[in-house]
Amino acid sequence: MKPIMGYKRSDGRYGIRNKILVIATVGCANETARRLAERIAGTVFIPAGKGCGQIGDAVEITKRTLTGFVLNPNVYGAVFVGLGCETIQPHEMVARVQKVSDKPVYSFSIQEEGGTTKTIATVVPLLERLVGAAARIVREPVELSALTLATNCGGSDATSGLSVNPALGVATELLVAAGGRSILGETTELIGTEHILIRRAKNQQVKR
């Protein structure tokens, strides 16, 4: 199959998209982060479901998840927005990402900036610069073997089993045949179709 065009990242992976993430580190910052992303095309708002009052392993799981968002090859860079008094601090997330990636990442605290309005006024110019920098990256040919496709249920309806699910299945098989990877993120959607997947298993261990 012919290569497609993608964005090469410094870790050697390729993204098909080239987005800037605006990530809330706590639910209290969701509205500010959402308003920021709405103002700048090319950005994506990632809301926080947690981030405050978490303890134990839950803190580490959340931090690992937020880090993973930034490391996705479809992402050019990110801005973390927090309130300032939460368990998961935005500046801590920047430090965590910088240990494993050279992507541009920044952090802002709503309390330190003096409120939502002032935070938006400060961050919007930065987002504009990040979007501009991302736009200057030139796409290059990418072999399908370098790609990973993530799939997940988007909300089943009466026709999804007849339309989009089979189409996505065909796309997955074409990608895998070309040497790429596909990851299914919601195994409960497989109930009743185990026999179909077993026929496609690469070895006995996967079948079992």
Side-chain angles (χ1 to χ4, degrees), residues 101-135:
S101 174
D102 61 359
K103 291 185 178 183
V105 285
Y106 299 87
S107 65
F108 294 88
S109 166
I110 297 170
Q111 292 175 344
E112 290 179 3
E113 294 297 328
T116 292
T117 302
K118 291 183 178 179
T119 301
I120 292 174
T122 300
V123 180
V124 162
L126 171 63
L127 289 175
E128 291 174 338
R129 292 195 297 272
L130 286 173
V131 169

Side-chain angles (χ1 to χ4, degrees), residues 6-203:
Y7 301 94
K8 187 174 183 179
R9 306 304 178 192
S10 60
D11 62 2
R13 295 189 297 168
Y14 287 87
I16 302 304
R17 297 179 177 88
N18 196 31
K19 301 296 186 180
I20 308 297
L21 301 186
V22 182
I23 305 175
T25 59
V26 65
C28 305
N30 277 343
E31 180 62 15
T32 301
R34 181 189 64 79
R35 289 170 60 182
L36 281 166
E38 286 180 346
R39 293 187 177 215
I40 309 297
T43 65
V44 177
F45 165 48
I46 305 294
K50 300 291 184 180
C52 188
Q54 290 180 275
I55 60 175
D57 291 341
V59 177
E60 175 59 26
I61 291 171
T62 301
K63 288 181 178 179
R64 190 170 68 237
T65 301
L66 296 181
T67 302
F69 286 143
V70 183
L71 298 182
N72 188 297
N74 288 312
V75 173
Y76 172 81
V79 173
F80 289 97
V81 181
L83 179 60
C85 55
E86 61 270 24
T87 304
I88 299 177
Q89 292 286 323
H91 64 274
E92 293 177 353
M93 290 308 307
V94 167
R96 188 181 180 103
V97 171
Q98 288 178 336
K99 288 181 179 179
V100 294
S101 174
D102 61 359
K103 291 185 178 183
V105 285
Y106 299 87
S107 65
F108 294 88
S109 166
I110 297 170
Q111 292 175 344
E112 290 179 3
E113 294 297 328
T116 292
T117 302
K118 291 183 178 179
T119 301
I120 292 174
T122 300
V123 180
V124 162
L126 171 63
L127 289 175
E128 291 174 338
R129 292 195 297 272
L130 286 173
V131 169
R136 289 191 289 273
I137 297 179
V138 178
R139 291 190 298 172
E140 56 187 77
V142 184
E143 296 294 335
L144 293 181
S145 59
L147 300 182
T148 298
L149 173 67
T151 63
N152 195 70
C153 176
S156 298
D157 62 18
T159 64
S160 57
L162 300 173
S163 56
V164 66
N165 290 352
L168 187 56
V170 171
T172 293
E173 291 185 335
L174 290 172
L175 177 63
V176 171
R181 298 191 304 166
S182 180
I183 299 174
L184 183 63
E186 191 171 353
T187 55
T188 54
E189 296 295 318
L190 306 180
I191 295 173
T193 66
E194 294 88 346
H195 61 291
I196 298 175
L197 291 173
I198 284 174
R199 291 201 301 265
R200 291 161 170 77
K202 60 187 271 187
N203 55 44

